[in-house]
């Protein structure tokens, strides 16, 4: 194991330098492009002067005027007529095609892991292969989708099943925008009761760390990661607080509580949630919020009321980056007294170093999960106290290497140490 | 000798004056980046925070019937450098990652429209209802609407986009 991860570490750290060493001197190129752009601007200004359309250098800023000087494309002022006419004109002006135009982007990662956990093997494994699709059906109607292929040991055919890929429609959302204040969506979402869950989705390249916090792991049971239903969202200025809201109604957890009710609800009680967060104008980069989630779930023949309350505090810049989240999950069996409360939280720090082209970003995360052993809904979900210490290196604008050391402790089990490496990218 | 001393003292005074009172750029629009919008946009002034919301895609509508279309200069252009430095406070890589994640979060259907010259920006802003762009104030042609930011126009003291 030691030899394997030493080789990987070597590859992870030497590789970037080797690639950087091959990069041509981009500073000269940049200066040349700058000079060319400046020349284009000077020529444009001269053309405009010759055509007599340019404003004098010290002119008062123009107020609203009726015409545009020599636009390169016809001015699509809204024509008089019905709202439909206006909408059609706007769509034409904004380049809405005759048929939906699909924008496709991909994300994936290749991972290596080596731990001292008894019974595990070190080695490489494919991360999720993710395709993200977006299509504007009209200026105010948009479809978003996320599709993944996940390598699993049991996803193939045969008996015992061979290894293969498990395909999943992670998200499919159609959204109607009325305005910034009011947007309505229907589909399969990542449940907006947690910051990480709606910030990073399945693209490992987008997140600083190699893996998600345990409380929001895909396939995990602590919070419902997916949600099938309808969502209303929007944002209001609120005196500079920039208050955002999400209100959703849906199927909630399925019969297997780590799954959403994709094929229908398991009962006649809809789950609902309210999520509020602010992004104050005065503290650019700060986001703070809280949410409440309610569902009725079934485990075997027993029914439980589930309340999830959570909060987050995020400093979204990278110098430094700070993310902290907390969630409490309350389960009460229907018709019985007494309830079970489980808590999970994590705190993550990161800092993009200003040196070396701002490519290096060290980070640390502490996470904690406590589950009462008597909670019948979370049987099998283990407590956790763990640390993750790592370094992210952005090899290019669209790809990164990450190397992590993780230390995890679970009750009654030996402490686990592990080295995890990942290269993640978008394409 | 005395004349030499007097000249030296005058030069020293002049140097000190220049150090204490550098040529004020506030009196001129040179270097200021104007926020220009389509003439049909029903707004003539924004706060700096509101400009930031526009650029971050947090505000996507001027009115319920008028969508904001961001028009940005391609990388290396001075206008883009200033917008990234003063408003986004991001590097070029961070800016690209921001918009990829914004679309990935289903918060926007796409990123800003990219143009390769101020002429192209002018044409697009003039043609697209709701569009907004950033260009050197001395190059703003007649007919485009320039927004006040925090009550200031480019060239006025207190204007922040430069």
């Amino acid at each position: 194991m030691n030899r394997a991860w030493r080789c990987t570490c070597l590859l992870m750290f030497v590789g970037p330098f080797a690639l950087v060493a091959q990069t041509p001197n981009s500073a000269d190129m940049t200066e040349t492009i700058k000079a060319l752009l400046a020349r284009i601007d000077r020529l444009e200004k001269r053309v405009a002067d010759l055509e007599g359309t340019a404003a004098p250098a010290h002119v008062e800023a123009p107020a609203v005027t009726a015409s545009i000087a020599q636009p390169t494309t016809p001015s699509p002022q809204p024509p008089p007529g019905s709202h439909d006419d206006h909408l059609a004109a706007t769509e034409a002006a904004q380049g809405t095609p005759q048929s939906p135009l699909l924008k496709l982007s991909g994300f994936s990662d290749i991972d290596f892991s080596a731990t001292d956990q008894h019974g595990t093997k070190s080695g490489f494994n494919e991360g999720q292969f993710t395709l993200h699709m977006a299509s504007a059906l009209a200026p105010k109607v948009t479809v978003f989708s996320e599709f993944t292929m996940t390598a699993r040991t049991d996803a193939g055919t045969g008996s015992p099943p061979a290894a293969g890929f498990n395909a999943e429609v992670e998200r499919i959302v159609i959204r109607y925008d009325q305005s910034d204040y009011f947007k309505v969506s229907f589909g399969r979402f990542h449940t907006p009761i947690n910051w990480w869950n709606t910030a990073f989705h399945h693209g490992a390249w987008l997140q600083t760390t190699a893996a998600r916090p345990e409380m929001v792991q895909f396939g995990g049971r602590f919070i419902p990661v997916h949600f099938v239903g309808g969502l209303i969202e929007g944002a209001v200025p609120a005196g500079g607080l920039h208050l955002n809201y999400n209100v959703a109604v849906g199927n909630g957890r399925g019969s297997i509580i780590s799954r959403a009710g994709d094929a229908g609800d398991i009962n006649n009680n809809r789950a609902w949630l309210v999520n509020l967060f602010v992004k104050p104008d005065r503290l650019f980069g700060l986001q703070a919020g809280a949410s409440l989630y309610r569902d009725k779930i079934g485990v075997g023949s027993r029914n439980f009321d589930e309340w999830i309350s959570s909060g987050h505090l995020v400093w979204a810049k990278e110098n430094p980056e700070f993310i902290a989240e907390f969630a409490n999950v309350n389960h009460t069996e229907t018709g019985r007294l007494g309830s079970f409360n489980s808590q999970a939280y994590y705190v993550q720090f990161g800092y993009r170093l200003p040196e070396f082209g701002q490519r290096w970003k060290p980070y640390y995360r502490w996470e904690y999960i406590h589950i009462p052993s008597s909670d019948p809904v979370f049987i099998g979900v283990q407590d956790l106290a763990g640390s993750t210490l790592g370094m992210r290196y952005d090899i290019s604008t669209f790809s990164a290497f990450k190397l992590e050391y993780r230390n995890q402790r679970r009750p009654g089990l030996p402490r686990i140490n592990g080295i995890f490496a990942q290269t993640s990218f978008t394409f | 000798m005395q004349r030499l001393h007097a000249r030296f003292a005058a030069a020293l005074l002049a140097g000190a004056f220049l150090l204490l009172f550098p040529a004020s750029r506030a009196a001129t629009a040179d270097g200021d980046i104007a926020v220009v919008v389509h003439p049909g946009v029903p707004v003539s002034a924004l706060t700096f925070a509101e400009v930031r919301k526009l650029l971050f895609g947090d505000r996507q509508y001027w009115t319920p019937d008028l969508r904001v279309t961001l028009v940005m200069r391609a990388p290396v252009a001075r206008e883009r450098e200033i917008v990234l430095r003063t408003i986004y406070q991001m590097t070029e890589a961070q800016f690209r990652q921001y918009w990829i994640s914004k679309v990935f979060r289903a918060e926007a259907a796409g990123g800003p429209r990219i143009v390769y010259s101020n002429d192209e920006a002018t044409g697009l802003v003039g043609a697209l209802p709701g569009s907004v762009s950033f260009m050197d104030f001395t190059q703003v042609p007649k007919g485009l609407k320039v927004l006040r930011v925090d009550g200031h126009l480019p060239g006025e003291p207190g204007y922040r986009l430069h």
Side-chain angles (χ1 to χ4, degrees), chain A residues 30 33-34 37 40-42 44-45 52-78 83 86 90 93-95 103 105 107 130-132 134-136 139-140 142 144 146 171 173 175 177-180 183 198-203 205-207 235 237 240 242 279 281 284 317-319 352 358 392 394 397-398 426, chain B residues 27-30 37-41 43-44 47 49-50 52-53 56-69 73-79 81 87-94 96-98 100-111 113 116-120 122-130 137-146 148 153-154 156:
Chain A
T30 304
I33 295 171
K34 269 185 179 172
L37 284 172
I40 289 171
D41 286 340
R42 281 199 304 275
E44 279 180 354
K45 190 166 183 290
T53 57
H58 300 291
V59 72
E60 286 292 315
V64 181
T65 52
S67 63
I68 304 302
Q70 303 286 331
T72 53
T73 48
S75 176
Q77 290 289 341
H83 176 75
H86 183 184
T90 306
Q94 295 191 345
K103 290 180 184 172
S105 56
F107 296 84
T130 307
L131 290 178
H132 181 256
S135 181
K140 304 181 97 174
T142 318
F144 302 93
E146 189 180 7
R171 287 185 294 154
V173 177
R175 195 180 75 202
D177 294 4
Q178 194 275 333
S179 65
D180 289 317
K183 299 172 183 177
T198 52
F200 297 127
H201 304 287
H202 289 263
W205 170 74
L206 292 168
Q207 63 199 27
H242 194 52
K279 296 201 274 187
D281 292 344
F284 168 55
K317 292 182 178 180
E318 292 192 293
N319 307 89
R352 187 167 288 281
Q358 300 189 52
R392 176 189 173 113
D394 286 273
T397 303
F398 302 122
T426 182
Chain B
T28 169
D30 285 351
V37 295
H38 184 274
V41 170
V43 168
S44 55
T47 64
E50 287 169 333
R52 183 171 270 153
K53 278 187 197 130
F56 273 77
D58 289 339
R59 179 177 179 178
Q60 299 182 358
Y61 289 91
W62 296 108
T63 66
D65 286 330
L66 189 60
R67 181 182 267 280
V68 174
T69 302
R73 288 292 300 271
V76 187
R78 184 174 160 272
E79 288 85 349
E81 282 180 4
I87 301 176
Y88 283 100
Q89 295 179 9
M90 289 179 182
T91 62
E92 182 65 39
Q94 288 170 327
R96 291 182 188 208
Q97 182 170 343
Y98 174 80
I100 289 171
S101 63
K102 184 93 177 165
V103 174
F104 197 50
R105 288 196 301 265
E107 292 174 359
R113 291 196 176 204
Y116 297 91
S117 70
N118 279 340
D119 198 31
E120 198 181 346
T122 302
L124 208 53
V125 173
L128 278 180
F137 182 61
T138 58
Q139 296 189 26
V140 178
K142 285 177 183 169
L144 286 192
K145 187 173 176 179
V146 177
R148 287 180 179 272
L153 284 169
E156 292 181 355

Side-chain angles (χ1 to χ4, degrees), chain B residues 24 32 42 53 81 84 89 93 95 116 133 162:
Chain B
S24 171
D32 280 355
K53 278 187 197 130
E81 282 180 4
L84 258 59
Q89 295 179 9
F95 169 78
Y116 297 91
S133 190
H162 49 77

